[in-house]
């Protein structure tokens, strides 16, 4: 197949890839078109992944990594090239499901967010979390406002837990899991609730038109952060949206890269403190504080959180 296509070039522009990144990936597209051996190997991986439907992305990316070695290219770069080359077929599948193009392009912006993470953390154009995109190419995860959402079921460790509203969750109950892409958009009240409303409208039929149960597992959902983050900060407001069903302290702050990027590998006293979030976490960790991870839920009726 042709790799240096108008679609691939226009997609990169539409979702906001920096010019330098566009140039990097276009050169790889051209290499695949010019070298039949490399192009044929790449196409075989593509065919095995996308047809009859996207499957086992992690295994396919392992094969892309082997091709990257032959081409003397970073695996992060080749993983992004692979995802870009799968994107035109993905648009067709959105349309087959009757989903609007806007929803497709909103979801594809996640490629840009992961691209910027890779640049900031590894000084490379590409993605170091290529396997993350399985939900995107399975047409299972959807960008609806600030967050991304997917339908899931409550696991058995949360069976029987009672929310403040009196709602009881049971193993196998449906809930709308969501993720917080690194778009840089602040988590203001307006932004958060706009996303909750959009997701409610999209998924409400799965819940018989009643309140929708949202769930999120994140390093952000740890109530110890409420002891040192400003009460009026967007992060604190986001945490308070949830009823935490579980949380645990972590021995190491493995998510520090999400705040400090490549500087997270430095000793904590060298972490940058050039904004309020960085400063708060750096001071907390330097003082011996431990970070954590939690899973929380929101019961939402289409307009407000039900307590």
């Amino acid at each position: 197949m042709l790799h240096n296509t108008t679609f691939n070039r226009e997609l990169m522009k539409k979702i906001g890839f920096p010019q330098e990144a566009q140039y990097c990936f276009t050169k790889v597209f051209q290499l695949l078109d010019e070298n039949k051996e490399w192009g044929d190997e790449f196409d075989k991986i593509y065919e095995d992944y996308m047809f009859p439907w996207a499957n086992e992305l992690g295994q396919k990316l392992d094969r892309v990594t082997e091709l990257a070695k032959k081409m003397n290219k970073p695996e992060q770069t080749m993983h992004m090239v692979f995802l870009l080359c799968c994107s035109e077929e993905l648009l067709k599948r959105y349309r087959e499901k009757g989903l609007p193009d806007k929803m497709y392009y909103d979801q594809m912006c996640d490629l840009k967010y992961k691209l910027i993470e890779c640049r900031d953390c590894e000084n490379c154009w590409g993605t170091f979390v290529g396997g993350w995109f399985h939900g995107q190419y399975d047409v299972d995860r959807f960008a609806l406002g600030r967050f991304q959402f997917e339908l899931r079921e409550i696991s058995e460790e949360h069976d029987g837990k009672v929310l403040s509203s009196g709602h009881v969750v049971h193993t196998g109950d449906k809930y709308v899991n969501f993720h917080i892409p690194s778009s840089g958009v602040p988590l203001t009240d307006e932004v958060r609730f706009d996303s909750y409303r959009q997701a409610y409208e999209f998924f409400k039929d799965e819940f018989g038109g009643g309140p929708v149960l949202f769930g999120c597992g994140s390093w952000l959902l740890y109530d110890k952060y409420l002891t040192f983050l400003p009460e009026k900060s967007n992060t604190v407001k986001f945490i308070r949206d949830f009823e935490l069903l579980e949380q645990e302290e972590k021995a190491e702050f493995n998510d520090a890269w999400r705040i400090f990027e490549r500087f997270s590998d430095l000793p904590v006293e060298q972490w940058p403190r050039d904004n309020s979030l960085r400063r708060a976490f750096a001071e907390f960790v330097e003082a011996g504080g431990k970070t954590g991870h939690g899973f929380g839920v929101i019961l939402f009726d289409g307009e407000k959180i039900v307590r």
Side-chain angles (χ1 to χ4, degrees), residues 50-82:
M50 289 301 289
F51 300 98
W53 195 263
N55 64 92
E56 299 294 341
L57 178 56
Q59 292 181 10
K60 305 309 182 293
L61 290 177
D62 288 343
R63 291 164 60 186
V64 174
T65 295
E66 293 305 309
L67 177 59
K69 294 175 183 177
K70 297 176 186 178
M71 296 177 64
N72 195 29
K73 295 291 181 182
E75 70 173 7
Q76 300 95 324
T77 298
M78 289 301 297
H79 287 184
M80 182 62 77
V81 165
F82 184 74

Side-chain angles (χ1 to χ4, degrees), residues 154 156 194 203 230:
I154 292 291
E156 63 182 16
D194 172 70
F203 289 102

Side-chain angles (χ1 to χ4, degrees), residues 221 226 231 235-243 305 307:
L221 296 182
L226 302 176
E231 181 64 29
T235 302
V236 166
K237 291 178 181 179
F238 176 69
I239 295 171
R240 292 197 186 281
D241 284 349
F242 292 85
E243 295 190 48
I305 294 172
R307 301 290 192 184

Side-chain angles (χ1 to χ4, degrees), residues 41-255:
E41 183 173 345
F42 185 93
D43 293 351
K44 182 63 168 63
I45 304 170
Y46 167 84
E47 293 287 337
D48 288 348
Y49 175 56
M50 289 301 289
F51 300 98
W53 195 263
N55 64 92
E56 299 294 341
L57 178 56
Q59 292 181 10
K60 305 309 182 293
L61 290 177
D62 288 343
R63 291 164 60 186
V64 174
T65 295
E66 293 305 309
L67 177 59
K69 294 175 183 177
K70 297 176 186 178
M71 296 177 64
N72 195 29
K73 295 291 181 182
E75 70 173 7
Q76 300 95 324
T77 298
M78 289 301 297
H79 287 184
M80 182 62 77
V81 165
F82 184 74
L83 295 168
L84 287 167
C85 285
C86 292
S87 296
E88 185 170 10
E89 177 64 27
L90 180 61
L91 176 57
K92 296 176 185 177
R93 297 180 182 187
Y94 263 68
R95 290 171 174 170
E96 288 170 0
K97 286 179 170 287
L99 298 170
D101 286 5
K102 182 182 184 302
M103 186 177 290
Y104 165 83
Y105 286 109
D106 287 349
Q107 183 63 47
M108 295 308 289
C109 285
D110 206 26
L111 292 173
K112 179 184 71 174
Y113 307 149
K114 298 305 183 188
L115 172 77
I116 300 305
E117 287 179 358
C118 192
R119 179 199 66 186
D120 292 343
C121 292
E122 300 196 359
N123 196 30
C124 175
W125 292 120
T127 177
F128 57 87
V129 289
W132 157 256
F133 288 95
H134 69 90
Q136 181 162 314
Y137 287 85
D138 288 348
V139 196
D140 180 57
R141 183 184 304 136
F142 305 98
L144 298 162
R146 177 64 175 83
F147 306 118
Q148 298 171 6
F149 301 88
E150 59 203 358
L151 197 62
R152 293 291 182 265
E153 294 183 352
I154 292 291
S155 56
E156 63 182 16
E157 65 262 34
H158 304 309
D159 185 58
K161 292 186 177 178
V162 183
L163 307 186
S164 60
S165 64
H167 180 89
V168 183
V169 297
H170 298 288
T171 303
D173 284 354
K174 292 178 182 177
Y175 77 97
V176 179
N177 190 46
F178 75 91
H179 306 280
I180 315 158
S182 57
S183 66
V185 176
L187 298 175
T188 63
D189 292 349
E190 180 181 5
V191 164
R192 298 193 322 275
F193 279 79
D194 172 70
S195 193
Y196 300 157
R197 291 186 189 103
Q198 289 190 49
Y200 175 88
E201 287 300 318
F202 188 77
F203 289 102
K204 65 181 180 181
D205 289 347
E206 297 284 349
F207 296 83
V212 170
L213 185 68
F214 293 111
C216 182
S218 174
W219 68 275
L220 278 175
L221 296 182
Y222 188 52
D223 64 9
K224 189 176 288 186
Y225 302 155
L226 302 176
T227 65
F228 67 88
L229 291 175
E231 181 64 29
K232 293 183 179 181
S233 73
N234 291 324
T235 302
V236 166
K237 291 178 181 179
F238 176 69
I239 295 171
R240 292 197 186 281
D241 284 349
F242 292 85
E243 295 190 48
L244 298 181
L245 301 189
E246 68 167 293
Q247 54 183 325
E248 61 176 328
E249 181 179 285
K250 296 291 187 179
E252 302 291 337
F253 190 15
N254 293 323
D255 287 292

